[in-house]
Amino acid sequence: MNIMDSIFEKARAKQVVVAFSEIEEEKILLAAKEAKEKGICKPLFVGKKSVLEESAKQYGINVSEIDLWDCEDEERLEKVIIKYVEENPMYSEKSMKRKAKDSLYVALMLEALGEVDATFAGLSHTTGDVIMAGQMIVGLCDGVTTVSSVGIANIPGYDGPEGELLVIGDSAVCANPSAEDLASIAISACDTTSALLGWEPRCALVSFSTTGSAEHELVDKVRSAKEIANKQRPDLKIDGEFQLDAAICPPIAAKKVTRESEVAGKANIIIWPDLNVGNIGVKLLQQFAHADAYGPVLQGFKKVVCDCSRSAPVSELVGNIAISAVRAQGGK
């Protein structure tokens, strides 16, 4: 069974409600329909009934079996806004009514209120749009300073602690993280990995130095991130700074890491020091190791918010829906 088969199986075992607000998009309608047919989640369209009817007719897609939360129902919408503002008094009803003109914000309000378990978007909204809306409406987890992402790399021939699988991040969102941001990324990656894959996280913060073999401000940032992460979450196995080989190869770790470490040589999560390294790293894995990279999976929000690629085929969207569904199970 490959990794995606396992994730699909987990999603079916405990269905959650996933909100889809971009109901004008053909691929969203198709992906939500397929997700329902495969039993991956309980999809809920959030938007105007007139828009859904027009889109379904235009694309010839029968979505009659999927429930709709109709944003044209003004009385129902007003009740949600009032309830959301009561729980989040930093916002006014007036401002939320303006935001509710975009159904993504309505879906996120429903999620914040516990009426849905995850929100899926990214075709008619940019990644920045999704992140901004998620930060405003759902908010970040306690102690998390930045939204970030992880991916799952399936690397042919790699013999790591989880076989051919390795979690990597951030390869997509946070360009130049501070030490505090790196600590947040590492903590979020551990929580995401545990929820999604059921692994015991062993997270390595990588650099061009291994435990003091080089001195530079870039290395200092990684060292500081490790200290911050350990202080904030002493329950997690987060260590560094390690060169990549010292993080994942036991014989090299035995030579380079002279102190005790529960991570060195057996990391199943790698945290890049910045997006330059992350972007190049994932592409090296794809081009030279012929790895499949699943994701990116947004993390750091209090609840699950998924941003998908506009160029992704429907099959990939369905896979991302399954990943979001499994992550959302932890909040049930």
Side-chain angles (χ1 to χ4, degrees), residues 133-187:
Q135 284 179 310
M136 177 181 180
I137 304 301
V138 173
L140 299 183
C141 294
D142 293 340
V144 170
T145 61
T146 185
V147 175
S148 59
S149 74
V150 292
I152 306 168
N154 192 339
I155 309 165
Y158 173 58
D159 185 20
E162 315 297 342
E164 295 185 339
L165 300 179
L166 183 67
V167 172
I168 54 176
D170 178 2
S171 302
V173 177
C174 197
N176 187 23
S178 64
E180 291 77 12
D181 291 337
L182 270 183
S184 289
I185 293 168
I187 290 167

Side-chain angles (χ1 to χ4, degrees), residues 43-63:
L44 176 68
F45 289 134
V46 178
K48 295 180 178 180
K49 183 178 180 181
S50 58
V51 172
L52 180 61
E53 290 176 342
E54 182 181 340
S55 299
K57 182 179 179 180
Q58 177 184 350
Y59 301 126
I61 304 169
N62 181 1
V63 292

Side-chain angles (χ1 to χ4, degrees), residues 69-292:
W69 201 99
D70 186 6
C71 293
E72 289 177 319
D73 186 335
E74 293 183 6
E75 184 178 344
R76 190 183 188 192
L77 181 58
E78 186 172 359
K79 286 180 179 177
V80 165
I81 291 171
I82 290 171
K83 187 176 180 182
Y84 179 81
V85 171
E86 284 177 351
E87 295 187 10
N88 299 273
M90 73 285 289
Y91 300 122
S92 68
E93 288 182 32
K94 185 177 180 180
S95 66
M96 287 300 99
K97 283 178 181 177
R98 286 198 302 268
K99 291 296 183 184
K101 292 177 181 178
D102 183 343
S103 55
L104 172 60
Y105 283 82
V106 179
L108 289 166
M109 279 191 275
L110 292 172
E111 184 175 5
L113 293 171
E115 295 186 31
V116 303
D117 303 301
T119 300
F120 191 91
L123 290 188
S124 56
H125 294 80
T126 67
T127 296
D129 291 336
V130 175
I131 290 174
M132 182 171 65
Q135 284 179 310
M136 177 181 180
I137 304 301
V138 173
L140 299 183
C141 294
D142 293 340
V144 170
T145 61
T146 185
V147 175
S148 59
S149 74
V150 292
I152 306 168
N154 192 339
I155 309 165
Y158 173 58
D159 185 20
E162 315 297 342
E164 295 185 339
L165 300 179
L166 183 67
V167 172
I168 54 176
D170 178 2
S171 302
V173 177
C174 197
N176 187 23
S178 64
E180 291 77 12
D181 291 337
L182 270 183
S184 289
I185 293 168
I187 290 167
S188 296
C190 289
D191 289 340
T192 298
T193 299
S194 179
L196 183 59
L197 301 172
W199 300 350
E200 179 187 28
R202 290 185 299 279
C203 179
L205 293 154
V206 297
S207 177
F208 62 85
S209 169
T210 296
T211 61
S213 65
E215 295 296 333
H216 193 277
E217 61 185 19
L218 295 176
V219 178
D220 293 339
K221 180 177 78 168
V222 178
R223 288 178 191 154
S224 296
K226 180 250 184 185
E227 293 172 3
I228 294 167
N230 290 165
K231 185 175 181 180
Q232 289 182 349
R233 290 289 299 275
D235 58 306
L236 297 175
K237 294 176 180 177
I238 299 173
D239 202 356
E241 85 282 7
F242 300 135
Q243 291 165 300
L244 180 62
D245 53 1
I248 61 173
C249 182
I252 293 176
K255 290 181 179 180
K256 289 187 175 183
V257 183
T258 55
R259 61 172 172 78
E260 199 171 307
S261 173
E262 295 183 286
V263 175
K266 45 185 178 287
N268 52 19
I269 303 170
I270 297 296
I271 302 300
W272 314 116
D274 59 46
L275 195 54
N276 268 322
V277 180
N279 182 273
I280 294 167
V282 72
K283 286 175 170 52
L284 285 170
L285 287 172
Q286 289 171 318
Q287 295 300 316
F288 294 113
H290 307 292
D292 291 322

